[in-house]
Amino acid sequence: MTEQSAWDGRTYYDEPQLRPAPFNNALVGSYIFLAGLSGAAQLLATVVDSAHGPAAPPTVRRGRYLALAAPVLGTLCLILDLHTPRRFYNMLRLIKATSPMSLGSWGLVGFSVTSAVTASLQFAADRLRFSWLRSLARLTQIPAALTGAFMGTYTASLLSATSTPLWAAAPKSLAVRFASSAAASAAVALGLGERNDRRRRDLDSIAVAALAVELAATLASEHAECQAGIGDPSHSQTARPIAIPLVLLLTSLVLPGRLGRTLSAVGSLALLGGGLAMRIRVLHRGDQSARQPYRSLRFAQLDNLPRT
Amino acid sequence: MEMHPRVLDHAVSDLDGLIADEAELTAGVRIRPGRSYGFFTDTTVCIGCKACEVACKEWNNLPADGIGLTGHSYDNTTALSADSWRHVKFIETGVRDDMAQPFQSGWLMMSDVCKHCHNAPCLEACPTGALFRTEFDTVVVQQDICNGCGYCVPACPFGVVDISLLDGKAHKCTLCYDRLKGGLEPACAKACPTDSIQFGELGELQERARRREAELHRRGVTNAYLYGAPGEAGATGGLEHLNAFFLLTAQPETYNLPRAPTRPADRVAPSLAAGIATVLGLAVAALSLFTRRA
Amino acid sequence: MQSIVGTMVIAQEGRFQLLDRDGVGHQFLLHYGSAVEPDQLPPLLNRRVRVSYRSAVTAHIIGHAAVHIDLLED
């Protein structure tokens, strides 16, 4: 490469060098949250079902119904976000491995179909008491769980496979953050309606573990952004929305009876609210980084090229 | 550029029909499907007339946008957009500070356009297949397929493609796809009075550009370089090369261009792997917790 | 919503230009909610049409967003 002098830090009249994603952050953030919640709920329901045998407890039932949130509400959010909504079906014209949006559209279709079938079988089994309905649901839940795992995390690769500096700087830690947040959200969502105390505490324990992973990944993201030269020192509060539910849930695990249950509920709601807010905040901060030419030009420097 | 002998057939201006293979007369290239075409923009001969902006707007029937004065030298267009597919940038470098050299006299002028990247990130991001590679190796958005999802917009490392909020679709330079099909060179290249914008077959353009770069170095313009040629700035990180490349005389950032852009699609696999490993890892942990207690 | 009558003189992708009775050209793009598709425009070239549109001045564009096009019999 022709040697040029290093960048002197000046921009072109401070005009943006990149374009931010034209998404409605509330709609897309909600979809990402719901996709994670539903996908992980289906996966978690499958795990509980595998552990407790064919007598599917209420937890599994709730998980299978919760898995319908993304197919129903999330799909609506996505269609409304399109700038020519009446052509939404064009998403299924082809499948493209380089486009997480293409993979995700098909993933959403696969997850929706398999989850709808599983939930319908659950609904029928509860009313008709044919044992083969339950057995069939145990089969269909497997592809639903696998596509659910994909749903919980592909949205991070959707953001990272762009030129937006904040999203592109730390693709792996962003994926870990979205995945662990999804798992934590599903665990507490199932725990909120859980009457069995021991199972609720198990679900809360899973949420605590997932939150710990999310906290570590968030710190890793911030470190990667600083290494890439695009760190935003004014924004160092990202640990708090994770630490608060983490502490609440951890405390609820050691406290007995009514107090423990109340703390668990409060911590669960804080986690769910925090999860949705995190997605919207990531979108908003990403758009900001795309609009700031100093950061986007700093990101596109030779020291940030992937090592081959 | 020498005159093609066929030019003599059209000594009088006659507008009763299309001249067959007109690009042979105006650009010295016969346009055939299956070959790679692009632009070589030599910014050292750009005079900042903006004929390229006007020709592009006229030919593509684009509405006027970006109305108003910016105060940024002669650049009132500001950026490429859904309705501006050519954008001339002006940078005044110390024109009035001291006794400037006659060459360029401190003015930098560059006509920006869609780069029609070899591994176009917008095309790789498009989930509907609206963005496709034409038979001339250019990148075009099919207006009857695009549903305005907007994913191509953040994918572009140069901030080129844009969604129109009025018609709800993505738009960018088509390299005058309709003109190419008719054997005409793109409107901007045809209108450029100094041949700063040169249209042609990519291989031929790259050779010509290398010769021009060497010539400029010989004449003392040692900061001249090719942006977007294979192995150069702008063609980094998996993009390979840009079909529309430039000869610049200042760092890329001065022209609001990224020095080392990357191909976003390379981040898909590592991200998916990390995320799915996390989900499955937590699922396994959950399974062991439930089965121990069951 | 407003409407205008004129002759379609240019049709390019989803954009077209209407020449009115006074010889003034008006730029249009197809509104995202319009049922008109880009390939339906070329057959309307040099024909008189009535276009119902939304004004785009607030979108910092000198042009209008066409919602409906009626072919006028002449």
Side-chain angles (χ1 to χ4, degrees):
Chain A
M1 193 180 297
T2 317
E3 287 309 307
Q4 290 123 41
S5 43
W7 179 35
D8 58 14
R10 282 185 298 176
T11 64
Y12 182 76
Y13 307 109
D14 243 338
E15 287 295 337
Q17 181 257 321
L18 290 174
R19 289 196 166 276
F23 304 149
N24 177 321
N25 289 347
L27 283 176
V28 175
S30 300
Y31 168 74
I32 298 176
F33 173 72
L34 288 173
L37 179 64
S38 302
Q42 182 67 264
L43 182 60
L44 202 50
T46 306
V47 163
V48 171
D49 188 54
S50 310
H52 292 281
T59 321
V60 175
R61 178 182 301 116
R62 277 201 315 281
R64 287 176 178 167
Y65 288 152
L66 192 57
L68 297 177
V72 175
L73 285 174
T75 311
L76 190 65
C77 287
L78 288 185
I79 295 178
L80 286 175
D81 186 61
L82 293 175
H83 287 87
T84 305
R86 63 190 165 86
R87 286 188 187 164
F88 70 92
Y89 48 80
N90 280 352
M91 289 305 202
L92 303 178
R93 277 183 82 244
L94 44 75
I95 186 164
K96 200 181 273 189
T98 53
S99 172
M101 194 175 273
S102 174
L103 297 174
S105 301
W106 283 102
L108 179 60
V109 167
F111 177 71
S112 302
V113 167
T114 49
S115 292
V117 165
T118 309
S120 309
L121 288 169
Q122 174 76 48
F123 186 82
D126 289 339
R127 279 146 191 82
L128 298 176
R129 310 234 165 261
F130 290 132
S131 65
W132 60 265
L133 283 169
R134 257 181 231 292
S135 309
L136 196 54
R138 298 197 85 210
L139 265 177
T140 62
Q141 76 180 349
I142 297 169
L146 290 173
T147 48
F150 176 75
M151 291 290 285
T153 181
Y154 89 91
T155 44
S157 64
L158 189 147
L159 296 183
S160 294
T162 62
S163 298
T164 298
L166 201 84
W167 301 335
K172 287 192 251 190
S173 51
L174 187 71
V176 174
R177 284 164 70 187
F178 276 26
S180 51
S181 177
S185 304
V188 295
L190 290 181
L192 273 173
E194 185 60 65
R195 291 223 182 83
N196 182 319
D197 220 49
R198 194 175 71 178
R199 204 169 299 130
R200 178 189 55 78
R201 290 159 65 83
D202 280 352
L203 287 167
D204 284 353
S205 306
I206 295 164
V208 166
L211 280 178
V213 171
E214 193 190 342
L215 191 59
T218 305
L219 295 172
S221 271
E222 287 188 349
H223 178 73
E225 287 159 27
C226 284
Q227 291 289 96
I230 59 161
D232 188 1
S234 68
H235 223 111
S236 48
Q237 316 286 356
T238 43
R240 219 188 291 165
I242 306 167
I244 293 172
L246 181 66
V247 165
L248 284 171
L249 289 172
L250 208 50
T251 317
S252 80
L253 283 173
V254 297
L255 291 176
R258 196 104 172 264
L259 188 56
R261 276 197 296 279
T262 314
L263 266 180
S264 164
V266 170
S268 302
L269 291 172
L271 197 160
L272 290 171
L276 174 61
M278 184 270 279
R279 306 308 201 284
I280 296 176
R281 193 173 54 242
V282 166
L283 289 170
H284 177 70
R285 289 189 64 215
D287 291 346
Q288 266 187 327
S289 73
R291 282 194 196 98
Q292 294 163 337
Y294 184 79
R295 282 169 91 195
S296 71
L297 288 171
R298 174 62 190 89
F299 185 64
Q301 293 296 318
L302 294 167
D303 59 351
N304 281 334
L305 281 175
R307 269 160 277 290
T308 40
Chain B
M1 198 172 63
E2 294 89 39
M3 271 201 326
H4 195 278
R6 274 179 57 213
V7 170
L8 300 170
D9 298 339
H10 303 279
V12 179
S13 208
D14 46 28
L15 305 168
D16 58 358
L18 209 59
I19 298 172
D21 278 329
E22 193 199 78
E24 209 174 9
L25 309 184
T26 63
V29 55
R30 220 196 235 160
I31 299 172
R32 290 287 175 270
R35 306 220 189 118
S36 212
Y37 295 95
F39 289 128
F40 163 49
T41 303
D42 182 351
T43 64
T44 60
V45 293
C46 177
I47 54 172
C49 68
K50 305 186 201 174
C52 51
E53 285 197 32
V54 175
C56 175
K57 288 267 195 183
E58 285 281 324
W59 178 263
N60 293 296
N61 198 38
L62 294 165
D65 69 337
I67 300 140
L69 300 175
T70 59
H72 296 159
S73 188
Y74 286 90
D75 180 1
N76 294 307
T77 309
T78 305
L80 293 170
S81 68
D83 298 300
S84 291
W85 303 349
R86 269 279 174 191
H87 163 222
V88 181
K89 297 177 175 169
F90 292 81
I91 304 111
E92 298 179 33
T93 61
V95 164
R96 288 164 183 79
D97 286 358
D98 54 58
M99 301 295 283
Q101 296 291 334
F103 172 76
Q104 286 283 308
S105 300
W107 283 89
L108 297 171
M109 294 171 288
M110 173 232 181
S111 179
D112 196 17
V113 71
C114 169
K115 317 301 185 288
H116 294 271
C117 311
H118 179 68
N119 288 328
C122 59
L123 196 159
E124 294 187 333
C126 180
T128 62
L131 275 152
F132 78 111
R133 196 112 222 158
T134 67
E135 65 269 37
F136 305 109
D137 197 33
T138 57
V139 181
V140 168
V141 190
Q142 295 173 86
Q143 294 300 305
D144 50 355
I145 294 172
C146 178
N147 61 16
C149 76
Y151 193 42
C152 53
V153 176
C156 178
F158 306 98
V160 171
V161 64
D162 186 25
I163 293 272
S164 163
L165 295 176
L166 269 177
D167 80 358
K169 322 245 181 334
H171 299 275
K172 68 176 197 66
C173 161
T174 60
L175 229 143
C176 283
Y177 187 32
D178 52 342
R179 288 178 65 95
L180 296 183
K181 283 197 192 242
L184 298 129
E185 64 166 330
C188 53
K190 187 164 181 193
C192 182
T194 57
D195 265 340
S196 172
I197 302 174
Q198 295 169 36
F199 169 78
E201 266 191 70
L202 197 57
E204 150 78 32
L205 287 178
Q206 284 169 348
E207 269 177 42
R208 209 188 291 166
R210 288 281 174 218
R211 283 199 299 272
R212 173 66 178 164
E213 184 193 14
E215 166 72 16
L216 284 170
H217 288 174
R218 230 184 346 263
R219 285 158 69 171
V221 188
T222 48
N223 53 5
Y225 67 101
L226 297 178
Y227 179 88
E232 299 283 349
T236 54
L239 292 176
E240 299 296 321
H241 62 259
L242 307 178
N243 280 30
F245 65 103
F246 301 82
L247 189 143
L248 304 176
T249 54
Q251 351 173 298
E253 295 85 0
T254 306
Y255 301 90
N256 220 7
L257 293 169
R259 184 179 296 230
T262 52
R263 182 182 180 184
D266 290 339
R267 293 190 271 277
V268 176
S271 167
L272 279 178
I276 290 178
T278 308
V279 175
L280 293 181
L282 287 168
V284 165
L287 184 65
S288 58
L289 182 68
F290 281 118
T291 46
R292 213 171 305 141
R293 300 287 205 102
Chain C
M1 201 147 64
Q2 300 156 277
S3 79
I4 187 173
V5 171
T7 311
M8 194 179 290
V9 291
I10 306 174
Q12 173 76 297
E13 290 184 324
R15 299 175 293 277
F16 62 95
Q17 192 177 114
L18 223 57
L19 202 63
D20 71 11
R21 207 181 305 116
D22 305 320
V24 177
H26 300 267
Q27 298 279 66
F28 290 89
L29 356 98
L30 291 172
H31 190 262
Y32 62 82
S34 167
V36 183
E37 289 288 319
D39 53 1
Q40 294 177 301
L41 295 177
L44 298 172
L45 274 171
N46 299 319
R47 311 285 294 275
R48 274 184 76 236
V49 292
R50 170 179 287 115
V51 177
S52 312
Y53 65 91
R54 293 206 162 89
S55 192
V57 173
T58 48
H60 307 292
I61 285 174
I62 301 179
H64 308 290
V67 178
H68 194 70
I69 304 179
D70 285 304
L71 180 61
L72 298 175
E73 297 306 325
D74 39 21

